[in-house]
Amino acid sequence: KQAKQQRHPTMSMQSAIKTGRPRNQAKSTHSRSYPRGVGIDFRKLAGLTLMSYIDHHGVPTRNEAPPSELAVAVARHFESMEVDEEQVIGGFLSRLSAGQELGEARVASVARAAGPGVPPGAPGGVPAAGGIA
């Protein structure tokens, strides 16, 4: 018994060093520290933007939570999401392709609206290749 009692304070000290709190102190159910593994700093977003994310994804938060706490909740939710990279990249590429098709259709539409004789790149004309009119 004495050997166990002598080791227990050491274990408690090691626990306090690792976690930053005494062993007998329970971990708070709500942490306000920003997660280290998230590469995006949600603390830079406006409170309304954070609330939009929270509402859209159903992230639980306190009603009176300040923006800093909302940012932590959003970051933790974002960190916990599982993503199928192949599906995301495939969706991105298909939207990119659709956007290029829309862009080409828009250029053709602007050219028709500008009428004949308006050179590409001229004000009111079709954008020059790679440029903006």
Side-chain angles (χ1 to χ4, degrees), residues 68-88:
S68 60
E69 192 175 315
L70 299 178
V72 170
V74 168
R76 291 192 184 283
H77 177 264
F78 187 80
E79 181 180 47
S80 71
M81 292 177 63
E82 292 187 22
V83 177
D84 180 351
E85 288 89 359
E86 289 183 23
Q87 182 182 10
V88 170

Side-chain angles (χ1 to χ4, degrees), residues 35-124:
R36 292 182 184 180
V38 178
I40 300 170
D41 191 353
F42 289 103
R43 295 171 290 195
K44 293 183 179 180
L45 296 178
L48 289 174
T49 304
L50 294 169
M51 286 306 300
S52 294
Y53 182 100
I54 287 166
D55 290 343
H56 180 78
H57 292 284
V59 178
T61 58
R62 298 180 310 130
N63 288 338
E64 65 279 358
S68 60
E69 192 175 315
L70 299 178
V72 170
V74 168
R76 291 192 184 283
H77 177 264
F78 187 80
E79 181 180 47
S80 71
M81 292 177 63
E82 292 187 22
V83 177
D84 180 351
E85 288 89 359
E86 289 183 23
Q87 182 182 10
V88 170
I89 291 171
F92 173 77
L93 292 175
S94 67
R95 287 187 178 172
L96 182 63
S97 174
Q100 286 176 343
E101 291 169 9
L102 288 175
E104 291 167 3
R106 182 173 178 274
V107 168
S109 172
V110 169
R112 283 192 302 273
V118 180

